[in-house]
Amino acid sequence: MKRKVLFICTANSARSLMAEALLRHMAGDQFEVASAGTQPAGPHPLALQVLTEAGISTEGLRSKALVEFQNERWDYVITLCEKAARECVAFSQGAQQIAWDFPDPAASNRHATFVLTLKELKERIGLFTLVHQKETGMKPKTYDPVTIFKVLGDELRLAALLLIRDQNKLCVCELTEAFGVAQPKISRHLATLRDAGLVETERRGQWVYYYLNPRLPAWVSRVLDETAQSNPVLIETPLVRLQAMAERPAALCP
């Protein structure tokens, strides 16, 4: 059975439409995909143009209201902007909600900006399909070191991963408290770590916990172990904040 993916952004005119077309093009045999907007407008001409130039079908693409899909069951609900992430927190019970954040190319109305957005979406969707192959019955691929080191190249993302490693399992609210940053930002970084296959998730009641993927290759585990041992300062302050956090979710549920 195909996994169902819904992409959401504000206007459903560029980013989410492009993501819908890309995932259908790249892995339509594995995923059933749609897109919608919280305030839908018509498809942006440049979005359709760059898709066509890349050899990706735009047949049937149209801007759709989120309400069209609210009674459907989805395996993944992926938001592509902070506004959509805030408005769709409770959308589609049971779906795995993933927050990506891509600048709206329509703001510049430049062909080059749409081309760049398409490229970045393709890279992120490529990681998504790679990570979730195990859920579609395909063999997982080998971890690519260039991709892994690129993901670890962000200081906050690396520190969050090391804190998860130290604590075994953490939820978004704990990481938000530990690093003192907004929830959408933490969610975006966690989505990148998950898409790269570095972390997995487990739901306990209303909380979703993140933990290191137990199937990490030995070389990736060694990199994380040595980084943590040689650079404890990376998580010193976040660890103090976390330990001082009142009413942590782990203390509120079994």
Side-chain angles (χ1 to χ4, degrees):
M1 181 181 296
K2 292 184 180 181
R3 308 287 282 180
K4 295 184 64 176
V5 180
L6 178 64
F7 291 105
I8 303 173
C9 67
T10 302
N12 192 214
S13 63
R15 292 162 293 183
S16 53
L17 274 184
M18 294 160 73
E20 175 187 352
L22 273 167
L23 181 55
R24 187 175 292 122
H25 176 78
M26 296 168 67
D29 59 331
Q30 305 163 44
F31 297 95
E32 180 180 337
V33 56
S35 66
T38 56
Q39 299 173 13
H44 196 289
L46 284 173
L48 301 179
Q49 180 180 336
V50 297
L51 285 168
T52 301
E53 291 171 349
I56 300 168
S57 174
T58 62
E59 183 179 357
L61 280 185
R62 63 181 180 87
S63 295
K64 303 166 289 293
L66 188 57
V67 69
E68 292 187 32
F69 302 102
Q70 65 181 4
N71 295 321
E72 293 191 34
R73 182 196 63 80
W74 299 94
D75 296 295
Y76 306 97
V77 172
I78 303 177
T79 55
L80 291 126
C81 63
E82 286 192 20
K83 185 174 186 296
R86 290 194 301 269
E87 295 176 352
C88 301
V89 171
F91 185 81
S92 189
Q93 291 288 337
Q96 182 172 327
Q97 298 195 7
I98 301 173
W100 295 349
D101 188 29
F102 288 85
D104 187 359
S108 71
N109 204 36
R110 296 176 62 239
H111 179 270
T113 305
F114 277 82
V115 170
L116 178 60
T117 299
L118 183 66
K119 176 180 179 294
E120 292 176 343
L121 280 169
K122 184 177 181 180
E123 291 174 352
R124 182 66 64 85
I125 289 170
L127 282 173
F128 172 82
T129 58
L130 171 67
V131 170
H132 295 285
Q133 281 172 344
K134 59 182 173 56
E135 298 182 25
T136 58
M138 295 179 63
K139 278 188 169 183
K141 294 182 180 178
T142 305
Y143 281 72
D144 171 40
V146 174
T147 299
I148 295 301
F149 285 114
K150 183 177 180 181
V151 168
L152 298 179
D154 180 272
E155 183 176 352
L156 176 56
R157 196 154 53 228
L158 174 60
L161 184 62
L162 294 179
L163 191 62
I164 291 169
R165 171 190 174 277
D166 181 80
Q167 296 291 298
N168 295 321
K169 292 183 180 181
L170 290 173
C171 67
V172 173
C173 65
E174 290 174 309
L175 289 161
T176 298
E177 180 74 19
F179 291 99
V181 298
Q183 180 270 327
K185 186 172 184 178
I186 285 291
S187 293
R188 291 197 301 273
H189 284 302
L190 290 171
T192 299
L193 292 171
R194 183 173 51 215
D195 289 349
L198 293 170
V199 297
E200 292 193 346
T201 60
E202 172 187 293
R203 180 176 289 277
R204 295 185 191 174
Q206 63 180 303
W207 291 288
V208 176
Y209 284 84
Y210 291 77
Y211 60 94
L212 285 187
N213 185 342
R215 292 174 292 279
L216 286 177
W219 70 266
V220 176
S221 296
R222 286 197 301 272
V223 166
L224 295 179
D225 290 343
E226 293 184 16
T227 300
Q229 292 163 12
S230 302
N231 302 275
V233 68
L234 287 172
I235 63 170
E236 278 183 359
T237 299
L239 190 56
V240 170
R241 290 175 177 163
L242 182 63
Q243 292 171 341
M245 180 179 179
E247 298 184 343
R248 287 179 62 179
L252 300 177
C253 65

